[in-house]
Amino acid sequence: MAITLKQAREIIRVAFETGAAKGMNPLSVVVLDAGGNLQAFERSDGAAPGRFDIARGKAYGCVMLGIAGSAQMARAEAQAYFVAAAGGAFGGKMIPVPGGILVRDETGAVIGAVGVTGDSSDNDAIAGKAGIEAVGLTAEI
């Protein structure tokens, strides 16, 4: 199973709605497939233009390491050398913090990741999780 474009667009829409309902700063949301390829991206009005790279970096680390952003952050705190080396191996594309959300299908298989940025990392994760769950997939934050 793969994340469809229709699902990706709905994930983004719900993440934006969740952010707005909770009074979050303007968000940017990226959806990647299981290979780390871009499926969809949108930046809210008022969001900084550099947010694409941050959202992608949060999601990219999830897909490439197979763990969520919060687990990546814990790993970075415990083994900074490993995360630095992984970041180098991935060409600096990974940002190991919450807001990077691993997406699993009903069998538990990783089918992609969502990266959200614009507010606190924890709030970013909340918005992304809402979008993922809205399309019936499992969010690992």
Side-chain angles (χ1 to χ4, degrees), residues 72-98:
Q72 290 175 59
M73 187 171 77
R75 184 91 186 254
E77 291 168 350
Q79 295 180 309
Y81 61 90
F82 171 79
V83 173
F90 301 143
K93 294 180 193 173
M94 138 182 154
I95 299 178
V97 297

mmCIF file of all heavy atoms in Angstrom, residues 72-98:
data_model
loop_
_atom_site.group_PDB
_atom_site.id
_atom_site.type_symbol
_atom_site.label_atom_id
_atom_site.label_comp_id
_atom_site.label_asym_id
_atom_site.label_seq_id
_atom_site.Cartn_x
_atom_site.Cartn_y
_atom_site.Cartn_z
ATOM 1 N N GLN A 72 13.854 9.957 17.023
ATOM 2 C CA GLN A 72 15.109 10.460 16.466
ATOM 3 C C GLN A 72 15.751 11.460 17.421
ATOM 4 O O GLN A 72 16.961 11.449 17.619
ATOM 5 C CB GLN A 72 14.863 11.144 15.122
ATOM 6 C CG GLN A 72 14.488 10.226 14.007
ATOM 7 C CD GLN A 72 14.161 11.022 12.770
ATOM 8 O OE1 GLN A 72 15.005 11.766 12.269
ATOM 9 N NE2 GLN A 72 12.950 10.881 12.282
ATOM 10 N N MET A 73 14.943 12.336 18.008
ATOM 11 C CA MET A 73 15.466 13.323 18.940
ATOM 12 C C MET A 73 16.078 12.632 20.162
ATOM 13 O O MET A 73 17.167 12.997 20.612
ATOM 14 C CB MET A 73 14.387 14.313 19.373
ATOM 15 C CG MET A 73 14.931 15.450 20.218
ATOM 16 S SD MET A 73 13.740 16.760 20.521
ATOM 17 C CE MET A 73 12.717 16.012 21.770
ATOM 18 N N ALA A 74 15.385 11.617 20.675
ATOM 19 C CA ALA A 74 15.918 10.865 21.818
ATOM 20 C C ALA A 74 17.236 10.192 21.440
ATOM 21 O O ALA A 74 18.193 10.183 22.223
ATOM 22 C CB ALA A 74 14.902 9.832 22.291
ATOM 23 N N ARG A 75 17.300 9.662 20.240
ATOM 24 C CA ARG A 75 18.538 9.022 19.775
ATOM 25 C C ARG A 75 19.646 10.056 19.641
ATOM 26 O O ARG A 75 20.802 9.789 19.970
ATOM 27 C CB ARG A 75 18.275 8.327 18.436
ATOM 28 C CG ARG A 75 19.434 7.548 17.874
ATOM 29 C CD ARG A 75 19.401 6.100 18.338
ATOM 30 N NE ARG A 75 20.571 5.367 17.914
ATOM 31 C CZ ARG A 75 20.583 4.468 16.945
ATOM 32 N NH1 ARG A 75 19.484 4.179 16.280
ATOM 33 N NH2 ARG A 75 21.697 3.838 16.657
ATOM 34 N N ALA A 76 19.306 11.248 19.154
ATOM 35 C CA ALA A 76 20.305 12.310 19.008
ATOM 36 C C ALA A 76 20.860 12.722 20.369
ATOM 37 O O ALA A 76 22.049 13.007 20.497
ATOM 38 C CB ALA A 76 19.694 13.516 18.297
ATOM 39 N N GLU A 77 19.995 12.744 21.371
ATOM 40 C CA GLU A 77 20.441 13.101 22.710
ATOM 41 C C GLU A 77 21.318 12.005 23.317
ATOM 42 O O GLU A 77 22.279 12.297 24.027
ATOM 43 C CB GLU A 77 19.233 13.393 23.604
ATOM 44 C CG GLU A 77 18.508 14.665 23.205
ATOM 45 C CD GLU A 77 17.156 14.843 23.864
ATOM 46 O OE1 GLU A 77 16.645 13.893 24.508
ATOM 47 O OE2 GLU A 77 16.579 15.939 23.731
ATOM 48 N N ALA A 78 21.006 10.748 23.022
ATOM 49 C CA ALA A 78 21.758 9.623 23.583
ATOM 50 C C ALA A 78 23.003 9.282 22.768
ATOM 51 O O ALA A 78 24.010 8.862 23.326
ATOM 52 C CB ALA A 78 20.858 8.394 23.679
ATOM 53 N N GLN A 79 22.920 9.453 21.444
ATOM 54 C CA GLN A 79 24.015 9.076 20.553
ATOM 55 C C GLN A 79 24.180 10.128 19.457
ATOM 56 O O GLN A 79 23.914 9.880 18.286
ATOM 57 C CB GLN A 79 23.743 7.719 19.901
ATOM 58 C CG GLN A 79 23.714 6.568 20.870
ATOM 59 C CD GLN A 79 23.434 5.261 20.151
ATOM 60 O OE1 GLN A 79 22.487 5.162 19.391
ATOM 61 N NE2 GLN A 79 24.266 4.274 20.392
ATOM 62 N N ALA A 80 24.643 11.284 19.865
ATOM 63 C CA ALA A 80 24.788 12.393 18.915
ATOM 64 C C ALA A 80 25.662 12.014 17.728
ATOM 65 O O ALA A 80 25.397 12.431 16.594
ATOM 66 C CB ALA A 80 25.357 13.614 19.618
ATOM 67 N N TYR A 81 26.681 11.213 17.971
ATOM 68 C CA TYR A 81 27.579 10.821 16.880
ATOM 69 C C TYR A 81 26.829 10.029 15.812
ATOM 70 O O TYR A 81 27.092 10.190 14.621
ATOM 71 C CB TYR A 81 28.763 10.002 17.407
ATOM 72 C CG TYR A 81 28.355 8.714 18.073
ATOM 73 C CD1 TYR A 81 28.241 7.537 17.349
ATOM 74 C CD2 TYR A 81 28.066 8.682 19.435
ATOM 75 C CE1 TYR A 81 27.834 6.358 17.947
ATOM 76 C CE2 TYR A 81 27.671 7.509 20.043
ATOM 77 C CZ TYR A 81 27.547 6.345 19.295
ATOM 78 O OH TYR A 81 27.140 5.189 19.900
ATOM 79 N N PHE A 82 25.896 9.149 16.209
ATOM 80 C CA PHE A 82 25.149 8.360 15.233
ATOM 81 C C PHE A 82 24.263 9.262 14.378
ATOM 82 O O PHE A 82 24.240 9.141 13.150
ATOM 83 C CB PHE A 82 24.287 7.298 15.915
ATOM 84 C CG PHE A 82 23.346 6.620 14.942
ATOM 85 C CD1 PHE A 82 23.809 5.620 14.098
ATOM 86 C CD2 PHE A 82 22.023 7.020 14.841
ATOM 87 C CE1 PHE A 82 22.965 5.017 13.175
ATOM 88 C CE2 PHE A 82 21.172 6.432 13.917
ATOM 89 C CZ PHE A 82 21.642 5.428 13.081
ATOM 90 N N VAL A 83 23.526 10.157 15.015
ATOM 91 C CA VAL A 83 22.620 11.030 14.271
ATOM 92 C C VAL A 83 23.407 11.970 13.369
ATOM 93 O O VAL A 83 23.008 12.223 12.232
ATOM 94 C CB VAL A 83 21.669 11.782 15.230
ATOM 95 C CG1 VAL A 83 20.846 12.826 14.486
ATOM 96 C CG2 VAL A 83 20.742 10.777 15.911
ATOM 97 N N ALA A 84 24.540 12.458 13.821
ATOM 98 C CA ALA A 84 25.384 13.303 12.970
ATOM 99 C C ALA A 84 25.872 12.517 11.755
ATOM 100 O O ALA A 84 25.854 13.020 10.622
ATOM 101 C CB ALA A 84 26.567 13.852 13.756
ATOM 102 N N ALA A 85 26.279 11.276 11.983
ATOM 103 C CA ALA A 85 26.747 10.444 10.870
ATOM 104 C C ALA A 85 25.612 10.114 9.910
ATOM 105 O O ALA A 85 25.790 10.162 8.679
ATOM 106 C CB ALA A 85 27.375 9.156 11.403
ATOM 107 N N ALA A 86 24.437 9.797 10.440
ATOM 108 C CA ALA A 86 23.282 9.516 9.580
ATOM 109 C C ALA A 86 22.913 10.756 8.770
ATOM 110 O O ALA A 86 22.634 10.661 7.572
ATOM 111 C CB ALA A 86 22.090 9.047 10.419
ATOM 112 N N GLY A 87 22.931 11.906 9.415
ATOM 113 C CA GLY A 87 22.647 13.150 8.695
ATOM 114 C C GLY A 87 23.625 13.363 7.560
ATOM 115 O O GLY A 87 23.241 13.778 6.464
ATOM 116 N N GLY A 88 24.889 13.053 7.797
ATOM 117 C CA GLY A 88 25.887 13.160 6.743
ATOM 118 C C GLY A 88 25.629 12.170 5.622
ATOM 119 O O GLY A 88 25.732 12.496 4.439
ATOM 120 N N ALA A 89 25.282 10.940 5.991
ATOM 121 C CA ALA A 89 24.994 9.907 4.992
ATOM 122 C C ALA A 89 23.799 10.298 4.122
ATOM 123 O O ALA A 89 23.754 9.955 2.940
ATOM 124 C CB ALA A 89 24.730 8.570 5.683
ATOM 125 N N PHE A 90 22.867 11.020 4.704
ATOM 126 C CA PHE A 90 21.673 11.440 3.974
ATOM 127 C C PHE A 90 21.816 12.836 3.372
ATOM 128 O O PHE A 90 20.832 13.471 3.012
ATOM 129 C CB PHE A 90 20.440 11.391 4.878
ATOM 130 C CG PHE A 90 20.148 10.035 5.458
ATOM 131 C CD1 PHE A 90 19.670 9.917 6.753
ATOM 132 C CD2 PHE A 90 20.347 8.873 4.737
ATOM 133 C CE1 PHE A 90 19.404 8.684 7.310
ATOM 134 C CE2 PHE A 90 20.077 7.626 5.278
ATOM 135 C CZ PHE A 90 19.610 7.530 6.574
ATOM 136 N N GLY A 91 23.024 13.316 3.276
ATOM 137 C CA GLY A 91 23.259 14.607 2.645
ATOM 138 C C GLY A 91 22.704 15.789 3.412
ATOM 139 O O GLY A 91 22.371 16.816 2.823
ATOM 140 N N GLY A 92 22.606 15.651 4.723
ATOM 141 C CA GLY A 92 22.098 16.752 5.549
ATOM 142 C C GLY A 92 20.600 16.964 5.449
ATOM 143 O O GLY A 92 20.094 17.988 5.899
ATOM 144 N N LYS A 93 19.874 16.006 4.893
ATOM 145 C CA LYS A 93 18.434 16.175 4.661
ATOM 146 C C LYS A 93 17.553 15.862 5.862
ATOM 147 O O LYS A 93 16.345 16.027 5.793
ATOM 148 C CB LYS A 93 17.982 15.272 3.513
ATOM 149 C CG LYS A 93 18.551 15.624 2.178
ATOM 150 C CD LYS A 93 18.009 14.655 1.144
ATOM 151 C CE LYS A 93 18.771 14.740 -0.140
ATOM 152 N NZ LYS A 93 18.333 13.689 -1.068
ATOM 153 N N MET A 94 18.129 15.379 6.963
ATOM 154 C CA MET A 94 17.299 14.917 8.065
ATOM 155 C C MET A 94 17.305 15.911 9.224
ATOM 156 O O MET A 94 18.340 16.480 9.558
ATOM 157 C CB MET A 94 17.822 13.534 8.425
ATOM 158 C CG MET A 94 17.966 13.172 9.797
ATOM 159 S SD MET A 94 18.665 11.498 9.918
ATOM 160 C CE MET A 94 19.372 11.727 11.490
ATOM 161 N N ILE A 95 16.125 16.142 9.789
ATOM 162 C CA ILE A 95 15.977 17.016 10.953
ATOM 163 C C ILE A 95 15.304 16.189 12.044
ATOM 164 O O ILE A 95 14.094 15.947 11.995
ATOM 165 C CB ILE A 95 15.171 18.285 10.604
ATOM 166 C CG1 ILE A 95 15.901 19.075 9.511
ATOM 167 C CG2 ILE A 95 14.940 19.129 11.851
ATOM 168 C CD1 ILE A 95 15.200 20.318 9.051
ATOM 169 N N PRO A 96 16.075 15.708 13.036
ATOM 170 C CA PRO A 96 15.579 14.736 14.008
ATOM 171 C C PRO A 96 14.833 15.335 15.202
ATOM 172 O O PRO A 96 15.330 15.349 16.333
ATOM 173 C CB PRO A 96 16.865 14.036 14.458
ATOM 174 C CG PRO A 96 17.919 15.097 14.362
ATOM 175 C CD PRO A 96 17.518 15.942 13.177
ATOM 176 N N VAL A 97 13.625 15.814 14.949
ATOM 177 C CA VAL A 97 12.803 16.400 16.008
ATOM 178 C C VAL A 97 11.334 16.027 15.806
ATOM 179 O O VAL A 97 10.949 15.602 14.720
ATOM 180 C CB VAL A 97 12.934 17.943 16.039
ATOM 181 C CG1 VAL A 97 14.352 18.382 16.372
ATOM 182 C CG2 VAL A 97 12.489 18.561 14.738
ATOM 183 N N PRO A 98 10.500 16.189 16.851
ATOM 184 C CA PRO A 98 9.064 15.969 16.673
ATOM 185 C C PRO A 98 8.511 16.862 15.558
ATOM 186 O O PRO A 98 9.047 17.931 15.275
ATOM 187 C CB PRO A 98 8.477 16.347 18.032
ATOM 188 C CG PRO A 98 9.590 16.068 18.996
ATOM 189 C CD PRO A 98 10.840 16.484 18.245
#
